[in-house]
Amino acid sequence: MSRKLYTFNGGVHPDGHKAMSNGTPIRAMTLLPRYIVPLRQHIGTPARPLVAAGDTVLRGQTIGAADGYVSTAVHAPTSGRVVAVEPRAVPHPSGMFDLAVVIESDGADRAIEFQPLDWRNLDPSALRNRVRDMGLAGLGGAVFPSYIKLNPGGQKIHTLILNGAECEPWITCDDRLMRERAPELVRGIEIMRHALGSETVLIGIEDNKPEAIAALRAAAPAGMEVIAVPTRYPGGGGKQLTYSLTGVETPAGGRSTDVGIQVFNVGTAYSLYRAVELGEPMISRVATITGHVAQPGNFEVRVGTPLSDLVAAAGGALAGASGELIGGPMMGFDLRDSDAPVTKAVNCLIVKNPRLFPAKPIELPCIRCGACAQACPADLQPFEMYWYSRAKDFGRAQSYNLFDCIECGCCSYVCPSHIPLVDYFRFSKSEIWEREREKRSADQARVRHEFKVFRLEREKQDKAEKFAKAAEKSRESAASNAVTPADPDAEKKKAILQAALDRAQKTKETVTPKNTENLTSGVQKEIDAIEARRAKVEEKTESHE
Amino acid sequence: MAAIGLVLGGILGWAAIKLRVQDDPLVEKIDAILPQTQCGQCGFAGCKPYAEAIAKGEADINLCPPGGAEGVKNLAELLGVDAKPLGEGVEPKPKSVAVIDENTCIGCTLCIQACPVDAIVGAAKQLHVIVAAQCTGCELCLPPCPVDCIGMQVIKEDVVTWKWRYPIHMMKRAA
Amino acid sequence: MIGSPYTLGGNSTSTIMLKVMLALVPGILAHAWYFGPGIWISLLVCSVFALGFEAFMLLMRGRPLKHALSDNSALLTAWLLALSLPTLAPWWLYAIGMLFAIVVAKQFYGGLGQNLFNPAMIGYAALIVSFPVNMTQWAAPVDLADHALTLLDAFDVVFAGQGSISPDAYTSATVLDTWKTQARLNTPVASILSQPMFGWAGGRGMETVAAMYLLGGLYLFWSRLITWHIPLAFLVGVAASAGLLHLIDPTQHAGPLLHLFSGGVMLGAFFIATDPVTAASTPRGKLIYAGLAGILTAIIRAFGGYPDGVAFAVLLMNICVPFIDTYTQPRVFGHGAGPKKAGKA
């Protein structure tokens, strides 16, 4: 191998557990009676729903349109009827609900007509719009809308990197995809290269996947280099892989495009091939189901598949299962609600048991041993950030470059005191983000308030000027008239307001349902008490004025 | 020596005049900490007047309910005084926005005039709407409404604004 | 709620402490071989007092006992102090040392991880300023002592006072002490070094113990419990400044080899200066911290009032750690590595 590899600092070697799921081919799933398709499956603005309950849809039909710049479309995974557009459980660490389209399949699985695209003769911007409407988002985990990443902007993207490292333990979906669908994947890479105009294409794969490396080497045309990188978590982190392959550090707070490099996940390349050459929107992905299940492996899963059905497809959870993880054990999160569906971001579901995932040991005091700093791939000093995060001194935590933390979990992994360091960093980051939001809205409110004050002042001045002019005039014309009339303007306004009030009273009586009739005496008493309180409050506000 | 002193003194004097800050920077700094709800719960006509009063030492730092304990703490840090709990009867409420009931609004524009940040749009005799993104939750539009058609709605956490919680400390609870 | 990672690497504080204690074992065995069984008693006494004080303080502070006691940190402190003190000293000397180490230096500051100063060295420093005489009566090498003590004798000496046997029969000054007093009297170097207490490098017996500490230290380095920065910088600091002084005036200052293999230098370099709680934590910071500690050690030995300088050097550098760390933060990945901005040269 001719290419020089660079070694990033830190990293850990957790048990891979990959053999459990990478031995069998990707399986298809049977059609399910119901799919739940969240409208927010990517970073950015959620898709705008285009369907309502009762609509019928076809497979591949757009049910949510990209809304704004950082957004992408969402499509129906099968044909059927929309039964609801409502908040549903989604795969998110919070366990919260988010807006989703619920589709009851009709069993026919009829599709819209897919229109392949002659991308070689297409204007790159038209290609990108197509990619956006096809709902492509990065499958590596960040789910950033792909069409934006395919736009070189003003920058020259000299190097295109395909991330097939798959460094997270347990996950094997990219491994299987590369082994089984290398030729198609390579065609997707060709499309990327065309859109970005890159000269160099590097495909980085961790050396624990020799079959995938061989398959891609066989499929890759001249000009695409498949490179085996040493297996070390988080070697598949975008910044780490870029550094390993090129020796270039992605600038802090920036993107790799700032240094002329763009990174895509291999799964995204495959989906891009399907979207462009076959015209099929992104309605499925390969996902790993592993851990404490009967038949671990990889499935071609339609987006919207309830995770409980995925577990069932793998033969079901074995006795003694103790919950599920979304993603890998290093960066994934606990699934709170197994009704949540597979989204574009879900690459793996691990069914836990107490032997594979023992309860976390108790947190002991930090002894500043520096193991975390040695393991940190971002060269941070996690124990310092921990110290300030724990004390909720977010400014100081930030001064230790908290936001360069990629939350890979290496620090928590090595900590001898079992301190959940990453949890402290996630906590600090969320708090800082909230303060940012508050600060922004406070600044906005300040500006708007100052403008209002200014406007009132200006109006007052205008009025005063007008009044002065009018007064002068009236003095000239009717100097003899000594009686000042009551302000007719004010009188008129009062009358209008009173009329409106009367009208409102009437509408209130007609519009609002008469909940207050035929009440029991208890309820009536309560209402009277409330009315009395309200009257008091009104009195107070009046006396203030 | 004396000549140098004179020259330096002169430079300092000139700088003091030349570089005098127009706006009181302390007021600006205090104002930057205040939450800008302009709600007047502190007893002043807005955040800036309250900031001015604090700067002059006429008002205490614990009168701002929306700023909460953290606001008091930040003010205390800025002013180099001890932080204290929020004043009596001053209790922070959950962050809310005002919402107009479309069925009862008579389009009187009184709330529009009351809104300190121009977050209510509408015209006379037409339905008014509150722009939620700009509403500070000050509740100043509530009393003027002649038909009581404005209510406060607590802002709920969603997937985007959800925050990671403080990791639980096992050490203290264990044993 | 605690999130990812859901799998851990299996490190634990108590194992780390145990491994460090394991690394001390060769030195302890060598000590017992050369200086008799007294070391077992001092280790035991220190350990018992350490655990006792730790438990007492945890109770007073209302902290759970189980986890703090099982982290082995108090035991390690006990061993380090025991190995820094003369064996065959009265038991209360060890008790007072542990009192200062565990109660004052560790628990008063908030327990494990919170202390600014190395607990064992605080214990040592408190003893040497309070009981200088006891602190210079070191057990003589067995083959040089007039009276070789059995374990029972040693027990008697430690707990019942010196009794029938005169301490002169089994104790002697250290080589550093001897060098210092005799060089000041302008005794020729050759005649100082020809005394039987001097061995091939440092003090007879003690040099081998030091070599065993070196061996244990290499084990710590090999098992990645310490990095090379602190031991190397400390040893280089001692050797370089001792060597320089020796070059300037060989009649007053011993050579670097004697300094490296006598007193607490080896123990200090690998086991004491490396205490992560109180040492600098950044790579550059470690070099500065340990290098200066090494230099200070040699200076205190040469010009100070005390024969050995490791404890004071380490404590003095402990004070500087927050400052050193703040100004030696390593470059974070991606910082200062951006594209060269147009317009800037």
Side-chain angles (χ1 to χ4, degrees), chain C residues 37 45 64 68 80 92 117 135 138 194 278 287 297-298 317 328 344:
Chain C
V45 173
L80 289 174
W92 49 263
F117 299 104
M135 292 294 284
W138 289 76
S194 64
T278 54
L287 292 177
T297 300
M317 289 316 295
T328 54
K344 265 191 189 169

Side-chain angles (χ1 to χ4, degrees), chain A residues 249 252 329 336 360 404 414 423, chain C residues 1 3 6 11 325 331 334-335:
Chain A
E249 287 183 23
R336 302 287 190 95
K360 287 192 188 170
D404 285 297
V414 298
D423 286 278
Chain C
M1 185 193 76
Y6 293 90
N11 291 342
D325 276 351
R331 186 182 72 86
H335 280 258

Side-chain angles (χ1 to χ4, degrees), chain B residues 66-126:
Chain B
E70 189 164 314
V72 177
K73 197 188 108 203
N74 290 339
L75 285 174
E77 244 163 56
L78 173 70
L79 301 170
V81 296
D82 285 336
K84 47 176 98 177
L86 283 174
E88 227 164 277
V90 181
E91 247 170 63
K93 292 182 200 167
K95 278 199 88 173
S96 312
V97 287
V99 177
I100 293 178
D101 176 11
E102 311 168 10
N103 289 329
T104 28
C105 174
I106 55 172
C108 68
T109 75
L110 287 176
C111 58
I112 297 184
Q113 292 163 37
C115 179
V117 293
D118 285 343
I120 309 180
V121 288
K125 289 182 211 163
Q126 275 167 22

